[in-house]
Amino acid sequence: MTAPLLEIRGVSKRFTKRLDVAGKIAQRLGSKIREETVHAVDAVDLSIAPGEVLGLVGESGCGKSTLGRVVAGIHGASDGQVLYDGKDIAALTGAEKRAATLAIQMIFQDPFASLNPRMRVEDIIGEAPRVHGLVSASDASNYVDEVMSKVGLDPSLKRRYPHQFSGGQRQRIGIARALAVKPKFLVCDEAIAALDVSIQAQVINLFMDLREELGLTYLFISHDLSVVEHIADRVAIMYLGRIVESAPTEALFAAPKHPYTKALLAEAPRLDQRKRDFAPIEGEIPSPLDPPPGCHFNPRCPLARADCREARQMLETISPGRAVACHHWTET
Amino acid sequence: MSDVIAPETAAPAAKVETPFRRFVSEFFESRIATVALCVLGLIILLAVLAPWITPQNPYDLAQVDVLDGRLPPGSEAFAGYTMWLGSDGSGRDLYSAILYGLRISLSVGVASGIIALAIGMAIGLLAAYAGGRTENIIMRVVDLQLSFPAALVALMLVAILGKGIDKIILALVVAQWAYYARTVRGTALVERNKEYVEAAQCLGLSRLRVVFRHILPNCLAPLIVVGTVQTAHAISLEATLSFLGVGLPQTEPSLGVLIANGFEYMLSGRYWISVFPGLALLFTVVSINLVGDQLRDVLNPRLKK
């Protein structure tokens, strides 16, 4: 196996709502107000090989977007390290830091909020390469044309503003902006969820073409199993801040091991099962403010026993490329 | 292709609809706002052209004749011109005095507005971007400042600083920067959490660049609205201070001074000395406010039909 392009080691991200002065006084006076900490991402390990597409799947609120933002350098990790090409990004400085920052780019979910409404497309795409000296000022215009053609946009539209484009075109502008700094790794955070189905297919195909052409590696975050099944080489399932299972796509869809993955796959709507009734997973997803002890899935899990409520089972490799975090996965 | 870089040369012929054009056409949809803008334009034009279109320079004591004092509208001055709006107690032609007074009122309003906007904008952006304790301290100072009536703050300051245009402007800036700071901070907080700011971070752009090139331009719309309304407010504040006798000196009469001068003659039937400067002030402030209201309607997407 080749060395991973990107490795996530024990990364956690906590958001703490600190008490203000009024809160502290109320607390002194005996109120039950306390600092609230959300464990959005809880000790996650992942590694992604060069050229691979890793699908990250989970319900909304499970922390997958936060993990993507930590990888992309938008949030700093509370604990753990993100290694790019074997080096801890947080420890890099100067030119190396910049190279690593530019190498990892993000594609956002909302094609409306992710483009600055007051900038022309040519500036949105061309600003970063110009600032970082990737192209000279005199070549910048040609470079923007080139990048726009690469993502299937007409370069003659580059003097327009984002609001003059449709959702799919805007998503292409977002992709062009990321590609303009010549990244090696793209974090796609629900990058197609906001698009019409017909446009989704086009954008997915664009991602796959770019992968071939530029040798890109992807972390593809989605809640849509069918999309992930289609494009990912490997899939990681996330539940309440933790990875519960990771496996090659085919193996995972053929034989899920973790009870949560099973439930998730069983309930995915499919054309060939249109008539059947759905049996949603029992119970609600617990609040990340106050996650259950032990395995986070235990209150909803059919296999849960006493040990599940006491100790967390770490992700354990059960066969090459396949890992699961469950005490009782063999029982199914 | 070498000339494509220059923005002007590369402008395509088929520029269908820029945000600016849409903004202009939406602005003129309101008839009242259109009229207000015309009135405001006329007022500014009159003020700018005052030295060339008035018969008398009211600041030049050599041109002011006390014998012309308190003449009703339409009287003929000693120097031979007609005083269409009458004259005040010191013999100043009111038409000339009003136009010169407008110059002072407008420049005080605009100057204090621009300075307060620059200061408030910088402080508000700092608060929004720094966050934490810095933000808390700044915003509590803003709250404290806003809890006093602006007129009171300005009145106290002018009482301490003394008379003069520069001191009035300073007092108005101190009384008003907090409005701008609060507005900018509010919008900047919203903008800072949008994905395009995260994207800019991802692209390794510097903080300064993100704040000034990405966040600030998106905060401008509410700033412009607050700026127009606050400028109108500054003009009426200045008039208030001058009316109370703590603003501008008698030798440089702003509209407020003129109104104050005529106030004592009101009961003797010489209404024109106060009423005409008062009307000028009214038209100025109301037209600026109407323009500001329409700007707010057009620039705030939530109010769009």
Side-chain angles (χ1 to χ4, degrees), chain A residues 225 228-229 232-233 235 237 245-258 261-266 270 273 322 332:
Chain A
L225 286 164
V228 168
E229 184 176 11
D233 300 319
V235 179
I237 309 284
E245 181 166 7
S246 78
T249 309
E250 279 177 28
L252 183 110
F253 280 89
K257 300 289 184 204
H258 194 281
T261 316
K262 281 184 185 164
L264 202 64
L265 294 187
R270 279 164 192 277
Q273 303 174 344
R322 181 128 215 212
T332 52

Short mmCIF file of all heavy atoms in Angstrom, two decimals, chain A residues 225 228-229 232-233 235 237 245-258 261-266 270 273 322 332:
data_model
loop_
_atom_site.label_atom_id
_atom_site.label_comp_id
_atom_site.label_asym_id
_atom_site.label_seq_id
_atom_site.Cartn_x
_atom_site.Cartn_y
_atom_site.Cartn_z
N LEU A 225 -26.33 8.05 -0.10
CA LEU A 225 -25.62 6.80 -0.27
C LEU A 225 -25.43 6.42 -1.74
O LEU A 225 -24.39 5.89 -2.12
CB LEU A 225 -26.37 5.67 0.44
CG LEU A 225 -26.25 5.73 1.97
CD1 LEU A 225 -27.31 4.85 2.60
CD2 LEU A 225 -24.86 5.28 2.39
N VAL A 228 -22.53 8.27 -3.23
CA VAL A 228 -21.25 7.78 -2.71
C VAL A 228 -20.92 6.42 -3.31
O VAL A 228 -19.79 6.16 -3.71
CB VAL A 228 -21.32 7.72 -1.17
CG1 VAL A 228 -20.13 6.96 -0.62
CG2 VAL A 228 -21.36 9.12 -0.60
N GLU A 229 -21.93 5.57 -3.41
CA GLU A 229 -21.71 4.25 -3.98
C GLU A 229 -21.17 4.37 -5.41
O GLU A 229 -20.32 3.61 -5.85
CB GLU A 229 -23.01 3.45 -3.98
CG GLU A 229 -22.85 2.02 -4.46
CD GLU A 229 -24.14 1.23 -4.36
OE1 GLU A 229 -25.21 1.85 -4.11
OE2 GLU A 229 -24.09 0.00 -4.54
N ALA A 232 -17.31 6.69 -4.91
CA ALA A 232 -16.23 6.50 -3.94
C ALA A 232 -15.53 5.17 -4.13
O ALA A 232 -16.13 4.18 -4.54
CB ALA A 232 -16.79 6.61 -2.53
N ASP A 233 -14.21 5.16 -3.84
CA ASP A 233 -13.46 3.90 -3.81
C ASP A 233 -13.63 3.23 -2.46
O ASP A 233 -13.65 2.02 -2.33
CB ASP A 233 -11.97 4.16 -4.03
CG ASP A 233 -11.70 4.83 -5.36
OD1 ASP A 233 -12.35 4.43 -6.34
OD2 ASP A 233 -10.88 5.76 -5.39
N VAL A 235 -15.47 3.94 1.63
CA VAL A 235 -16.50 4.70 2.33
C VAL A 235 -16.23 4.65 3.83
O VAL A 235 -15.83 3.60 4.34
CB VAL A 235 -17.91 4.14 2.04
CG1 VAL A 235 -18.96 4.93 2.79
CG2 VAL A 235 -18.21 4.16 0.56
N ILE A 237 -18.24 5.57 7.42
CA ILE A 237 -19.55 5.93 7.97
C ILE A 237 -19.32 6.63 9.30
O ILE A 237 -18.56 6.15 10.15
CB ILE A 237 -20.41 4.67 8.21
CG1 ILE A 237 -20.48 3.80 6.96
CG2 ILE A 237 -21.80 5.06 8.69
CD1 ILE A 237 -21.37 4.28 5.88
N GLU A 245 -17.44 2.76 10.80
CA GLU A 245 -17.02 1.69 9.90
C GLU A 245 -16.37 2.30 8.68
O GLU A 245 -16.82 3.33 8.18
CB GLU A 245 -18.23 0.85 9.48
CG GLU A 245 -17.85 -0.30 8.55
CD GLU A 245 -18.97 -1.33 8.41
OE1 GLU A 245 -20.07 -1.08 8.92
OE2 GLU A 245 -18.73 -2.37 7.78
N SER A 246 -15.30 1.67 8.21
CA SER A 246 -14.77 2.11 6.92
C SER A 246 -14.38 0.87 6.12
O SER A 246 -13.88 -0.10 6.69
CB SER A 246 -13.58 3.05 7.11
OG SER A 246 -12.43 2.35 7.43
N ALA A 247 -14.66 0.90 4.83
CA ALA A 247 -14.44 -0.28 4.01
C ALA A 247 -14.45 0.12 2.55
O ALA A 247 -14.98 1.17 2.20
CB ALA A 247 -15.55 -1.30 4.26
N PRO A 248 -13.86 -0.72 1.68
CA PRO A 248 -14.00 -0.47 0.25
C PRO A 248 -15.48 -0.44 -0.11
O PRO A 248 -16.28 -1.20 0.46
CB PRO A 248 -13.31 -1.67 -0.39
CG PRO A 248 -12.37 -2.16 0.65
CD PRO A 248 -13.00 -1.87 1.96
N THR A 249 -15.84 0.41 -1.06
CA THR A 249 -17.25 0.67 -1.34
C THR A 249 -18.05 -0.61 -1.58
O THR A 249 -19.10 -0.84 -0.97
CB THR A 249 -17.37 1.58 -2.56
OG1 THR A 249 -16.53 2.70 -2.35
CG2 THR A 249 -18.80 2.05 -2.74
N GLU A 250 -17.54 -1.46 -2.47
CA GLU A 250 -18.32 -2.65 -2.83
C GLU A 250 -18.54 -3.55 -1.63
O GLU A 250 -19.65 -4.03 -1.38
CB GLU A 250 -17.60 -3.43 -3.93
CG GLU A 250 -17.87 -2.83 -5.30
CD GLU A 250 -17.10 -3.56 -6.38
OE1 GLU A 250 -16.82 -4.77 -6.20
OE2 GLU A 250 -16.78 -2.91 -7.38
N ALA A 251 -17.44 -3.74 -0.87
CA ALA A 251 -17.54 -4.62 0.30
C ALA A 251 -18.54 -4.06 1.30
O ALA A 251 -19.35 -4.80 1.87
CB ALA A 251 -16.16 -4.77 0.95
N LEU A 252 -18.50 -2.75 1.47
CA LEU A 252 -19.39 -2.15 2.46
C LEU A 252 -20.84 -2.28 2.06
O LEU A 252 -21.71 -2.65 2.86
CB LEU A 252 -19.04 -0.67 2.65
CG LEU A 252 -19.89 -0.01 3.74
CD1 LEU A 252 -19.03 0.30 4.96
CD2 LEU A 252 -20.61 1.21 3.28
N PHE A 253 -21.12 -2.01 0.78
CA PHE A 253 -22.52 -2.09 0.36
C PHE A 253 -23.01 -3.53 0.28
O PHE A 253 -24.19 -3.80 0.47
CB PHE A 253 -22.71 -1.37 -0.98
CG PHE A 253 -22.82 0.12 -0.82
CD1 PHE A 253 -21.69 0.93 -0.83
CD2 PHE A 253 -24.06 0.73 -0.62
CE1 PHE A 253 -21.79 2.29 -0.66
CE2 PHE A 253 -24.17 2.10 -0.45
CZ PHE A 253 -23.02 2.89 -0.47
N ALA A 254 -22.06 -4.45 0.02
CA ALA A 254 -22.46 -5.86 -0.06
C ALA A 254 -22.70 -6.44 1.32
O ALA A 254 -23.67 -7.15 1.54
CB ALA A 254 -21.37 -6.66 -0.79
N ALA A 255 -21.81 -6.12 2.26
CA ALA A 255 -21.93 -6.74 3.57
C ALA A 255 -21.52 -5.76 4.65
O ALA A 255 -20.39 -5.77 5.12
CB ALA A 255 -21.04 -7.99 3.65
N PRO A 256 -22.42 -4.88 5.07
CA PRO A 256 -22.08 -3.95 6.15
C PRO A 256 -21.90 -4.71 7.46
O PRO A 256 -22.57 -5.72 7.69
CB PRO A 256 -23.31 -3.03 6.20
CG PRO A 256 -24.41 -3.78 5.56
CD PRO A 256 -23.78 -4.69 4.56
N LYS A 257 -20.99 -4.24 8.29
CA LYS A 257 -20.71 -4.95 9.54
C LYS A 257 -21.29 -4.24 10.76
O LYS A 257 -21.79 -4.88 11.67
CB LYS A 257 -19.18 -5.09 9.74
CG LYS A 257 -18.50 -5.85 8.63
CD LYS A 257 -18.84 -7.33 8.68
CE LYS A 257 -18.06 -8.07 7.61
NZ LYS A 257 -18.74 -9.33 7.23
N HIS A 258 -21.16 -2.94 10.78
CA HIS A 258 -21.63 -2.22 11.98
C HIS A 258 -23.16 -2.12 11.96
O HIS A 258 -23.75 -1.88 10.90
CB HIS A 258 -21.01 -0.82 11.99
CG HIS A 258 -21.16 -0.12 13.31
ND1 HIS A 258 -22.32 0.49 13.69
CD2 HIS A 258 -20.27 0.06 14.32
CE1 HIS A 258 -22.15 1.02 14.91
NE2 HIS A 258 -20.91 0.77 15.30
N THR A 261 -24.42 0.97 10.20
CA THR A 261 -24.30 0.93 8.75
C THR A 261 -25.40 0.06 8.15
O THR A 261 -26.02 0.41 7.14
CB THR A 261 -22.94 0.32 8.36
OG1 THR A 261 -21.95 0.88 9.19
CG2 THR A 261 -22.61 0.61 6.92
N LYS A 262 -25.66 -1.06 8.81
CA LYS A 262 -26.72 -1.95 8.33
C LYS A 262 -28.05 -1.25 8.26
O LYS A 262 -28.77 -1.31 7.25
CB LYS A 262 -26.85 -3.16 9.26
CG LYS A 262 -25.79 -4.17 9.01
CD LYS A 262 -26.02 -5.37 9.87
CE LYS A 262 -24.85 -6.29 9.66
NZ LYS A 262 -24.76 -7.31 10.69
N ALA A 263 -28.36 -0.58 9.36
CA ALA A 263 -29.65 0.12 9.42
C ALA A 263 -29.71 1.19 8.34
O ALA A 263 -30.72 1.35 7.65
CB ALA A 263 -29.82 0.74 10.80
N LEU A 264 -28.59 1.89 8.17
CA LEU A 264 -28.54 2.98 7.20
C LEU A 264 -28.76 2.44 5.79
O LEU A 264 -29.55 2.98 5.01
CB LEU A 264 -27.16 3.65 7.30
CG LEU A 264 -27.00 5.07 6.81
CD1 LEU A 264 -27.86 6.00 7.64
CD2 LEU A 264 -25.53 5.48 6.93
N LEU A 265 -28.08 1.36 5.46
CA LEU A 265 -28.20 0.81 4.11
C LEU A 265 -29.57 0.21 3.88
O LEU A 265 -30.14 0.31 2.80
CB LEU A 265 -27.13 -0.26 3.88
CG LEU A 265 -25.68 0.23 3.88
CD1 LEU A 265 -24.76 -0.90 3.48
CD2 LEU A 265 -25.50 1.41 2.96
N ALA A 266 -30.12 -0.40 4.92
CA ALA A 266 -31.42 -1.03 4.76
C ALA A 266 -32.50 -0.01 4.47
O ALA A 266 -33.47 -0.28 3.77
CB ALA A 266 -31.77 -1.82 6.03
N ARG A 270 -34.62 2.81 -2.60
CA ARG A 270 -34.13 2.30 -3.87
C ARG A 270 -35.31 2.09 -4.81
O ARG A 270 -36.40 1.78 -4.38
CB ARG A 270 -33.44 0.94 -3.67
CG ARG A 270 -32.03 1.06 -3.20
CD ARG A 270 -31.55 -0.26 -2.64
NE ARG A 270 -30.30 -0.05 -1.94
CZ ARG A 270 -29.13 0.00 -2.54
NH1 ARG A 270 -29.05 -0.19 -3.85
NH2 ARG A 270 -28.03 0.22 -1.86
N GLN A 273 -37.21 -1.25 -4.64
CA GLN A 273 -37.94 -1.61 -3.43
C GLN A 273 -38.99 -0.55 -3.13
O GLN A 273 -39.25 -0.23 -1.98
CB GLN A 273 -36.98 -1.68 -2.23
CG GLN A 273 -35.84 -2.65 -2.44
CD GLN A 273 -34.86 -2.57 -1.30
OE1 GLN A 273 -34.87 -1.61 -0.54
NE2 GLN A 273 -34.02 -3.58 -1.19
N ARG A 322 -10.44 -2.73 5.87
CA ARG A 322 -11.78 -2.76 6.42
C ARG A 322 -11.71 -2.64 7.94
O ARG A 322 -11.01 -3.38 8.60
CB ARG A 322 -12.39 -4.13 6.04
CG ARG A 322 -13.77 -4.33 6.50
CD ARG A 322 -14.66 -4.76 5.39
NE ARG A 322 -15.94 -4.15 5.65
CZ ARG A 322 -17.11 -4.69 5.33
NH1 ARG A 322 -17.15 -5.82 4.68
NH2 ARG A 322 -18.22 -4.06 5.63
N THR A 332 -23.48 -10.64 13.71
CA THR A 332 -24.55 -10.39 12.74
C THR A 332 -24.33 -11.13 11.43
O THR A 332 -23.22 -11.49 11.10
CB THR A 332 -24.63 -8.89 12.42
OG1 THR A 332 -23.34 -8.45 12.06
CG2 THR A 332 -25.15 -8.15 13.60
#
